[in-house]
Amino acid sequence: MANEMTSAPPDSVQCPVCFKDFESDTINGHLDVCLLSSVTDSSPSSAAEDSGPPVKKSRISAEAAPRSPGVNKPAVSSSSTASPSSSAVFSMFQANKNKLSLQSERTGLFSGKQTAVNKGIKRSLLDEAEPGQAVTEPVTATPDLSPRTLLSTNKPLAEMLRPNTLEEYFGQSKVVGEQTLLRSLLDSQEIPSLILWGPPGCGKTTLAHIIASTSKKKGTARFVTLSATSTSTNEVREVIKQAQNELRLCKRKTILFIDEIHRFNKSQQDTFLPHVECGTVTLIGATTENPSFQVNAALLSRCRVLVLEKLSVEAMGSILDRAVAALGIRVLEQDKANLKHQDQTDGQKPKIYIEQKALDTIAHLCDGDARAGLNGLQLAVQAQVSSARPLGHDGSSQEILVKEEHIKEGLQRSHILYDKAGEEHYNCISALHKSMRGSHENASLYWLGRMLEGGEDPLYVARRLVRFASEDVGLADPSALPQAVSAFQACHFIGMPECEVILAQCVVYLARAPKSVDIYKAYASVKACLRNHKGPLPSVPLHLRNASTKLMKQLGYAKGYKYNPAFCVPVEQNYLPDELQGINFFTWTPSDP
């Protein structure tokens, strides 16, 4: 081995730690000493000699021959006095220890004038990220929580209790439940590129962190988290460059999680296309907007879309029960004997109780948003703990009760999912239109309330009601159109919130009115007739033309026209071109010959 190393060409390679130049056959030994000395710089030199770097393993197997004392000995500064043994050689890029050899690493990594480690690349065996790097490794252990810690930390409860396993992940059994395709892929660490689409607080980011936690535990992939709200295209390109190096050097994949991916514009999203296509990165994007509108079609075709539903009340109850258990809060409806036993064992700890009705109130008011529910629980507990006073004479015992009114005070009202510029805007107006068409006045009022309480512009709703009055009511009730126009004008004069009752009156009127789509269908037939006509459109018959000049009269304009008021009986006269005689647009369809 020493002969092979001395015969290697003396190419200059820069050390990434001390930035000195060394020959390629001495850089590995120098890295072992340089990195070890930087780790144990604050410790005595004897301790550094006795123990190698923790967790790190040697590139050379135990059966390999030991190095010669003079080979690969770097010229280091006098401050680096620690010299590691041959069994404590530091490994920087060894991902598959059973397949990579020392010679293949040295010939593949340090050829030419280049740095030994690309700046910004995370080492395969290091637990710490490089300075300034966007890599965030999730915490796999649940923190030791207590109600008192909620007062001394600024971290939201939803973040502290974020699940790390699928067993703790509630409410999305259709997507990641047992016997599902994605569950088997996650268990086998064969993770495809995904787009997670769902409302806020349904578990999109949590699912990504579960994937990250599993990948970190098994060491199968590197996980990088970015947010489209604060990340530039250059940062994305740098992460992709790191992923290419990681795949080439360590044979380890990179999972790139992009939160709020819909915030990237079309050109920014195109940055991912070739790298997702060739497998350089596994992309996981999270969005609250419809990916059909907000994500490039080319990128969408390379990813699988997972639709996460709003959390049910039962799922929210399970999440809240887990939070209460983690915080050590007792539910009043539990077994009294258990509470008595806990009182004897807790000693001087404060006793915190919560009503079951309070937990049920959170589950119903948070509207399927786990983040809002957990943070609402945290707010209520914080308020009661901070205002609690000792009950005993010695001031050693406290009892705190979180009631339903405390929860309602923290959660003023239900969180209404509505976005005036997003998909929910179109979903609700479509539901309102179809409910009025079906003459269901209660459903019509409900969808109207969802829109107005969610912040919709009342004039937008009024304009849609004017359209509905002609499209769906039509001639069955000709007074519907004046009603809708009057409602629009009244909303324009008064504004919110007083105009809400005006819109409600118009909605109920239109829902109860008889329906007729004859006008709508007849005009649609006219448009179809014009589009399907072959050749030039027929000319206007001469007798229907207006003869405004003498020349036009001489050419036969208006000749033979019968002025209807001049006759006491209906006039027989052709009003259509000869090619369209006898057509009835109320019964005609484009499929007719």
Side-chain angles (χ1 to χ4, degrees), residues 157 316 320 324 327 329 352-367 372-384 401-415:
L157 182 61
M316 280 302 309
L320 292 172
V324 167
L327 293 172
I329 301 175
I352 301 179
Y353 303 91
I354 188 171
E355 295 179 344
Q356 183 62 47
K357 292 191 300 182
L359 294 177
D360 296 339
T361 300
I362 298 177
H364 285 85
L365 288 183
C366 67
D367 194 32
L374 290 174
N375 294 340
L377 173 65
Q378 179 182 12
L379 182 64
V381 173
Q382 280 180 329
Q384 297 307 308
L401 177 60
V402 180
K403 299 181 179 180
E404 183 181 10
E405 51 264 27
H406 301 149
I407 298 298
K408 289 183 177 180
E409 184 179 359
L411 295 174
Q412 294 294 330
R413 63 185 181 93
S414 175
H415 298 273

Side-chain angles (χ1 to χ4, degrees), residues 144-182:
D144 186 15
L145 298 178
S146 66
R148 288 294 181 185
T149 61
L150 296 179
L151 297 176
S152 59
T153 181
N154 294 325
K155 204 171 186 180
L157 182 61
E159 182 65 24
M160 291 189 289
L161 292 179
R162 192 181 295 278
N164 293 308
T165 61
L166 289 176
E167 286 71 20
E168 300 173 343
Y169 187 67
F170 301 109
Q172 303 296 342
S173 57
K174 292 183 180 180
V175 177
V176 294
E178 297 291 342
Q179 309 301 325
T180 59
L181 176 62
L182 182 61

Side-chain angles (χ1 to χ4, degrees), residues 15-19 29-45 48-49 51-54 56 76-84 90 92 123 126 128 130:
C15 174
V17 180
C18 63
F19 301 103
H30 167 73
L31 283 174
D32 296 335
V33 178
C34 193
L35 288 171
L36 181 62
S37 62
S38 64
V39 173
T40 60
D41 187 38
S42 59
S43 302
S45 58
E49 293 177 355
S51 61
K56 283 48 175 195
V76 297
S77 60
S78 58
S79 60
S80 301
T81 58
S83 59
F90 191 86
M92 295 186 64
R123 299 184 179 93
L126 289 181
E128 299 83 14
E130 296 290 344

Side-chain angles (χ1 to χ4, degrees), residues 466-503:
V466 172
R467 165 72 181 188
F468 182 89
S470 285
E471 177 181 342
D472 286 272
V473 177
L475 297 179
D477 186 358
S479 60
L481 183 58
Q483 285 278 346
V485 174
S486 298
F488 175 83
Q489 292 175 339
C491 292
H492 181 70
F493 295 153
I494 298 178
M496 283 292 287
E498 286 80 4
C499 70
E500 59 188 14
V501 67
I502 300 171
L503 290 174

Side-chain angles (χ1 to χ4, degrees), residues 39 56 121-131 133 135 137 216:
V39 173
K56 283 48 175 195
I121 299 179
K122 185 180 178 184
R123 299 184 179 93
S124 60
L125 297 179
L126 289 181
D127 294 331
E128 299 83 14
E130 296 290 344
Q133 197 175 359
V135 178
E137 299 289 354
K216 181 183 178 182

Side-chain angles (χ1 to χ4, degrees), residues 365-431:
L365 288 183
C366 67
D367 194 32
D369 189 338
R371 184 183 297 107
L374 290 174
N375 294 340
L377 173 65
Q378 179 182 12
L379 182 64
V381 173
Q382 280 180 329
Q384 297 307 308
V385 170
S386 60
S387 61
R389 295 181 179 179
L391 295 180
H393 297 289
D394 56 354
S396 60
S397 178
Q398 295 179 0
E399 286 190 359
I400 301 169
L401 177 60
V402 180
K403 299 181 179 180
E404 183 181 10
E405 51 264 27
H406 301 149
I407 298 298
K408 289 183 177 180
E409 184 179 359
L411 295 174
Q412 294 294 330
R413 63 185 181 93
S414 175
H415 298 273
I416 297 179
L417 176 62
Y418 191 79
D419 186 359
K420 292 191 293 183
E423 187 198 13
E424 200 67 15
H425 164 83
Y426 299 102
N427 291 341
C428 287
I429 194 63
S430 176

